[in-house]
Amino acid sequence: RVQQLLGLFQFGLLFVLALPVETWSGPWSLVGWLLPMLPSAGLLRDLMARGAGLDWGEFALALMNGALYFALGLLAFGWAQRQAKRRGSLGSY
């Protein structure tokens, strides 16, 4: 069941990564900075496709965005692991 959802999630993630959020203005630009992986994808687009120089402020924000979502993922994994152990559904992994 999880494998089927993972395929759908990957297509959604590919769509989100293709969005040019660095061109958004107003309150939508804040949304673009808060979504996972979008600041780093926009920074890479600026560097590789547009030939812009590296903005260290944007790089720091993209790094903080990645670290935040990595920490949230670790917390969610730890919670799911505890739930699986409590229910006894882990087996010999």
Side-chain angles (χ1 to χ4, degrees), residues 15-87:
F15 172 73
V16 168
L17 283 176
L19 289 174
V21 295
E22 62 274 3
T23 60
W24 292 357
S25 62
W28 290 106
S29 66
L30 178 62
V31 171
W33 281 105
L34 293 177
L35 291 173
M37 296 188 298
L38 291 187
S40 56
L43 188 61
L44 280 174
R45 250 191 310 275
D46 284 344
L47 288 172
M48 297 176 74
R50 297 184 181 110
L54 179 63
D55 183 5
W56 289 100
E58 287 183 20
F59 178 71
L61 287 173
L63 192 64
M64 286 189 294
N65 180 286
L68 173 72
Y69 279 102
F70 181 71
L72 287 175
L74 283 177
L75 288 172
F77 178 77
W79 176 82
Q81 184 181 21
R82 284 189 303 277
Q83 293 298 318
K85 283 182 181 179
R86 186 178 56 84
R87 293 178 185 163

